[in-house]
Amino acid sequence: MEILVASAVGVLTAGGVYLILRLRTFPVILGLALLSYAVNVFLFSTGRLAVNAPPVLQRYAENVPYTDPLPQALVLTAIVISFGMTAVLVMFAVGAYLEADHDRIDMTEAGESRSAKGDAGT
Amino acid sequence: MNHWIIAPVVLPALLAPIIAFVMRHDITLARAASFAGTLALAAIAVGLTVLAAAGETHVYVLGNWEAPFGIVLVLDRLSALMVLLTSILALIVLLHAVATGWDARGRHFHALFQFQLMGICGAFLTGDAFNLFVFFEVLLIASYGLMIHSGGRERVRAGLQYVVMNLAGSTLFLFALGTIYATTGTLNMADLAVKVREIPVEDAALIRVAGMLLVIVFAIKAALFPVQFWLPGTYANAPAPVAALFAIMTKVGAYAILRMYSTVFGPDVAATGGLFTTWLVPAAIVTLAVGAFGVLGARRLVPLIAFSVVGSMGTLMLAVAVFTPYAAMAALYYLVHSTFAAAALFLLADLVVARRNGDDALAARPATVQNGLFAALFFAAAIGMAGMPPLSGFLGKLLVLDALNPGPMVTLTWGAILLGSLLTIVGFARAGSILFWKSTALPADPEAQPTPPARALELAPGIAALAMLALLAAAAHPVSGYLEATAAQLFDHDGYARAVLGTLYAPEPAMEVEG
């Protein structure tokens, strides 16, 4: 169980890091998605791994195994936020692609190509 | 429990959707609502500062769930000061955006602006590390929208880089928080301050990893080397009022480092000790150098200002990295100063660039209208940023230099600050003489469209930011007195934990008997 979770986090993170170092937006977005999956799984494991145990405290019974509920709440928040952020990122990427006619993420001649009239006078 | 403590979060949070949904087609109404909201925020911030100045740490328990089980907002001198700084800056920036018409060049400027204020105020007020993450995301998602306000090819692409950078940072933030929770079983800052101090040195590996991960996350926000590279591109391509508002965003990172690494991972913590000073000081020195060389080498005005912000963050982080109360006082003074200095420069540069038809290249062009006035204002703002007398930058740098001696690598840090200041002065002098001086020698271009002179309302925000610098210098004694008390409170982790945890906080009685 521990090996499985740990290697899942590791593989997802490695794949995510590889992908966000690409120069095109689509792999970068996929990479960030993989990284957010990795961190979600990682957050689950921070409350210790317990199988088949409810995430609630049982005050009427002694020595009943339970899962720490807090990481589950944290994961829920993290999922919502990363989902929203990914949606925003996709909108940005589509906008940048439509404006620039290519989806390269690096800005080779950053700023220098801004023409005299440019975008300040819109 | 004082309900005003949550007002800086609730007010913009309620106002923003109303502006977005009800006033989306009426810019006048949106402007009025945004102004009223920001003014009210400033009034609340003044009230909170007066409340906090008495010295007590006020705790707002959300949903009446006692800390550490629920989320708390904590108002002490530091958070009150930061909220006040945010609200004053927001007023200045908002006035500029409205006066120059920036807010009408795209949609939802005022709604995003209010959400941004909500996130920033929340980040300053929260007493919970995970809640800090949530407020970071709120301020970031609003800043994404503001960053690409009014669109344009370069701006959207620079915005994309900014979003990717910050999303990677958010992931790292979650990894750090997960590790902290796994090690200590809590994310409440006051509870963390207690628990981290109980970790024996032998078991410190995990908490040290978590602490370093968290430093990297905050360093991304504070534009610290080696994760500073997003800043020049972002600030140079963002709309000018947004760039001026972002002057507080780097300070959020600096604030988070100051808060987490003096209260939670203080220098007295056995498990981490001086670990963060060891890494932050060299990083700050390199940041300062990057900023200074950037100012010297910039070929356009707005990137030049962006690099000067990087340099000022280097100076600020040098003072923060020492983690002593006196250095924290110096850092806070410099923090307030550099926020207004950066805002003044961005706002004035916007007026200058607008007079030059959007061309901000550092090359001589025929003199524009009000050349002398803009030259004088730019001169004053550059003096503020470079740290020359009589404005507050000079006092701030003196305080920082004083705080660094004696300290780690004092020769290097002093050398970096002094040489960095020299390079910044040379860079600004070069830019100013090309922009304003050489242009007077050129004949006017007969085909050029005459640009209207800047109205008083357009000039007022930039001048107000400059006036804040003068005020900060004139009132240096009372301000530094307040900041000294702030720094003392910041390093009193015991008092912080007692105020937040209340009855749950039990210091070892054996110690008290012996003492």
Side-chain angles (χ1 to χ4, degrees), chain A residues 25 35 39 42-43 46 48 68 70-71 74 81 85 89 92 96 99 102 104-107 111 113 116 120 122, chain B residues 105 130 137 144 148 153-154 156-158 160-161 163-164 167 171 174-175 178-179 181-182 187 300 357-358:
Chain A
T25 46
L35 274 181
V39 80
F42 176 75
L43 281 182
T46 60
R48 308 295 181 268
D68 189 346
L70 191 80
L74 299 187
I81 289 177
M85 289 295 181
L89 184 60
F92 265 71
E99 294 251 7
H102 60 79
R104 291 181 67 82
I105 202 165
D106 57 327
M107 298 172 70
S113 64
T122 41
Chain B
R105 290 184 201 170
F130 195 83
E137 296 304 306
Y144 300 157
I148 58 160
R153 180 170 158 235
E154 289 301 319
V156 175
R157 295 191 61 209
L160 183 69
Q161 285 188 340
V163 178
V164 168
L167 279 184
T171 314
L174 282 175
F175 272 116
T179 317
Y181 182 75
L187 285 170
R300 295 196 298 128
N357 288 320

